[in-house]
Amino acid sequence: QVQLVEAGGGSVQAGGSLRLSCAASGSTYSRNCITWFRQAPGKEREGVASINRANSFPWYVDSVKGRFTISQDNAKNTVYLQMNSLKPDDTAMYYCATRPRWCDDEWSMPSGFAYWGQGTQVTVSS
């Protein structure tokens, strides 16, 4: 069993920064791909960034490239999402999710992830 706990959300003005964290526990074999998703009211859940636990290779959705950075500290079993130059369109509930299969071209599909955190709210005001 894998448990994920997100933290770091909050309210910022446009142009500001936040760092989200996702602390994981449980079998490491079940969490080889860790992805941050977000969901705004009335919108579908969207993959934002993903990282392979073994080699830290990252994936990003185009809308956050150059602004967001995903990283991990395997000693702490924690994945981070550094979010800079935030925009009102970034407002959403942010979730981390993980699965046993390594990240691949389908990293952003929510249906492929078995384990989810409870989410942390990010609100960006203009």
Side-chain angles (χ1 to χ4, degrees), residues 59-80:
W59 278 262
Y60 298 98
V61 68
D62 286 347
S63 61
V64 307
K65 286 180 179 177
R67 300 189 298 123
F68 291 11
T69 302
I70 190 169
S71 63
Q72 62 184 351
D73 183 337
N74 284 340
K76 296 182 178 180
N77 292 317
T78 301
V79 172
Y80 302 96

Side-chain angles (χ1 to χ4, degrees), residues 14-35:
S17 298
L18 284 172
R19 188 176 81 155
L20 306 183
S21 63
C22 173
S25 61
S27 170
T28 56
Y29 299 104
S30 297
R31 43 187 175 93
N32 287 315
C33 178
I34 304 95
T35 296

Side-chain angles (χ1 to χ4, degrees), residues 57-119:
F57 188 86
W59 278 262
Y60 298 98
V61 68
D62 286 347
S63 61
V64 307
K65 286 180 179 177
R67 300 189 298 123
F68 291 11
T69 302
I70 190 169
S71 63
Q72 62 184 351
D73 183 337
N74 284 340
K76 296 182 178 180
N77 292 317
T78 301
V79 172
Y80 302 96
L81 185 68
Q82 178 67 44
M83 305 186 296
N84 299 328
S85 302
L86 282 162
K87 305 175 181 179
D89 284 349
D90 295 318
T91 295
M93 184 71 80
Y94 283 71
Y95 302 89
C96 65
T98 191
R99 69 186 192 196
R101 192 170 91 246
W102 301 110
C103 299
D104 54 25
D105 289 346
E106 297 183 347
W107 67 269
S108 62
M109 297 180 63
S111 61
F113 288 80
Y115 305 103
W116 292 81
Q118 81 288 352

